[in-house]
Amino acid sequence: MITLIFLDGLNGINYHRLMTPFLRLKAEEGINIHFFASFDELKKFDMTKVGSVVVSRRCTVSNYRAFKRWLRARNVKLILDNDDYWELPDDNPAKDIYKKQVSHEILATIRIADEIWTPSEALAHKMRKVNKNIPYRIIPNTIHEQEEQWVDQEKDENPGGIVRFGYLGANGHQKDLLSMGMTFEDYELYCMNLMDYPELLRAKHRMNPLDIHLYAQLYRHFDVSLSPIINTKFNRCKSNLKVIEAGYTKTAIIVSNVTPYKESVIHNKTGMICSTPEDWRTAVKEMTLEKAQNLAGELYEYCKKHYDISLINKERLKGLV
């Protein structure tokens, strides 16, 4: 049977949750897949040969109940893959469009889904309140280690032996950054050149966003990744992808003592966990290059053991028709 996958553009979500895992499933398990960009394209398919339709976050259809009846009449399973909570914090730039449209589409899709995949147990708990009568599968985020951008992860030359820190957060994380209670004018910080992040942290180096097939190169600039988040419903429903990316790029990580990071890091072994601004200042100040390399090595081994994409894809296979 064919698995149809809704790919509405190549963004970070689609890259990690749909494109990469399904291309691996095709290569390793031989499943028959087809990516489509518009639900109008479904009219072109012989749906008797289709077992499952997989969508990320939401279907973009005009009538959800009618779409569900149409799929059910053709014995096609609808699988929703969702990795983010639909209620965004006030400082997220997408807040308005989510409130007006996207949140409603996500909730409508949850209600008609036959099965839901998510990397977050906290998010699964939220979705079960909307639709409790279907299977849920916890499927972690990960990367394909043999993909070109992840293969060559040798750090940039560092003749001075100075610890280099990095922040790779997307838009809408000012409050998360402020939770560290510190600035980095006395350190070597490579910071995403988004919003006012470099000014907020007083970063010496700016990093511009790269294409989704190239962004892993940004990890080569620094030795320690910073992942501060505040304790909110939205953040607790996120995945631990930043921990996994740090592990596979042999980068040490400092995280907030908040789900999902606190469950993914062993303090002082695979990373550092901080609960207060004082913790952050101490973790940064006491970080040495040797310590960063030791933490990174332990985290790499942890990720190799727990986040191998072939093993994670076994769980996806169980849900496909």
Side-chain angles (χ1 to χ4, degrees):
M1 300 293 281
I2 302 172
T3 298
L4 299 180
I5 303 144
F6 180 47
L7 200 69
D8 59 338
L10 191 52
N11 51 45
I13 299 159
N14 287 345
Y15 168 77
H16 284 293
R17 298 300 298 176
L18 298 179
M19 191 188 77
T20 298
F22 275 99
L23 287 177
R24 296 316 307 155
L25 281 169
K26 180 180 179 180
E28 296 176 2
E29 304 290 343
I31 71 167
N32 192 350
I33 65 172
H34 181 86
F35 294 107
F36 68 98
S38 167
F39 282 90
D40 289 336
E41 293 180 42
L42 296 182
K43 300 172 185 177
K44 303 176 184 179
F45 286 95
D46 179 358
M47 298 300 287
T48 63
K49 297 179 180 179
V50 176
S52 303
V53 171
V54 183
V55 302
S56 174
R57 294 200 178 179
R58 69 196 197 277
C59 300
T60 51
V61 296
S62 57
N63 188 320
Y64 287 84
R65 290 183 179 178
F67 181 58
K68 175 67 174 180
R69 290 194 298 269
W70 186 82
L71 290 176
R72 184 172 289 167
R74 289 154 181 80
N75 200 30
V76 175
K77 182 178 185 178
L78 177 62
I79 299 173
L80 168 64
D81 187 294
N82 188 26
D83 77 335
D84 258 342
Y85 189 41
W86 50 89
E87 294 183 9
L88 272 58
D90 291 338
D91 58 344
N92 191 298
K95 169 80 173 182
D96 289 342
I97 185 63
Y98 262 68
K99 188 173 182 179
K100 292 177 182 177
Q101 176 183 346
V102 178
S103 294
H104 301 289
E105 293 174 339
I106 293 173
L107 287 167
T109 306
I110 293 171
R111 293 186 183 103
I112 67 170
D114 295 304
E115 180 168 315
I116 293 180
W117 300 347
T118 178
S120 165
E121 184 58 59
L123 183 56
H125 178 73
K126 297 285 186 186
M127 292 189 287
R128 287 189 185 102
K129 294 180 180 180
V130 181
N131 187 347
K132 65 180 180 180
N133 299 315
I134 60 171
Y136 285 77
R137 297 184 190 278
I138 305 300
I139 301 180
N141 270 322
T142 191
I143 58 100
H144 175 41
E145 191 181 12
Q146 298 306 312
E147 185 182 345
E148 185 176 357
Q149 69 169 324
W150 301 102
V151 171
D152 181 12
Q153 279 302 322
E154 184 176 350
K155 299 296 183 185
D156 291 345
E157 290 187 9
N158 185 12
I162 299 172
V163 180
R164 300 161 297 184
F165 298 89
Y167 180 71
L168 289 178
N171 286 320
H173 288 285
Q174 288 98 329
K175 290 181 180 178
D176 295 323
L177 292 176
L178 289 171
S179 71
M180 291 189 290
M182 66 177 297
T183 53
F184 286 80
E185 62 268 29
D186 296 327
Y187 300 95
E188 296 297 316
L189 174 64
Y190 290 77
C191 180
M192 290 304 295
N193 192 21
L194 297 172
M195 306 187 83
D196 60 348
Y197 295 169
E199 291 78 18
L200 198 65
L201 296 177
R202 298 184 187 176
K204 293 181 180 178
H205 310 280
R206 297 168 183 253
M207 298 184 293
N208 291 319
L210 295 179
D211 179 87
I212 195 63
H213 291 291
L214 299 172
Y215 85 98
Q217 296 176 11
L218 296 174
Y219 279 94
R220 299 176 63 177
H221 298 315
F222 52 90
D223 311 292
V224 183
S225 179
L226 305 174
S227 291
I229 56 173
I230 58 177
N231 192 7
T232 64
K233 287 188 292 185
F234 180 77
N235 281 340
R236 289 193 299 271
C237 289
K238 294 176 70 66
S239 84
N240 62 347
L241 181 60
K242 284 290 183 288
V243 174
I244 298 159
E245 289 180 349
Y248 276 113
T249 57
K250 297 182 180 177
T251 305
I253 193 164
I254 307 174
V255 302
S256 296
N257 190 19
V258 175
T259 298
Y261 294 152
K262 68 178 183 179
E263 293 86 358
S264 307
V265 171
I266 303 171
H267 183 62
N268 235 2
K269 182 177 181 182
T270 62
M272 303 297 293
I273 300 176
C274 298
S275 301
T276 66
E278 183 179 357
D279 288 347
W280 277 98
R281 290 190 290 270
T282 299
V284 169
K285 183 178 180 180
E286 295 183 355
M287 185 63 66
T288 65
L289 199 57
E290 180 181 9
K291 182 174 183 178
Q293 291 168 346
N294 289 337
L295 291 171
E298 292 283 352
L299 184 59
Y300 174 72
E301 295 301 325
Y302 175 84
C303 289
K304 288 272 288 184
K305 180 178 179 180
H306 296 282
Y307 294 98
D308 179 85
I309 192 168
S310 298
L311 294 178
I312 289 172
N313 266 345
K314 299 292 185 185
E315 192 64 23
R316 284 187 172 91
L317 272 177
K318 294 176 184 178
L320 297 176
V321 176

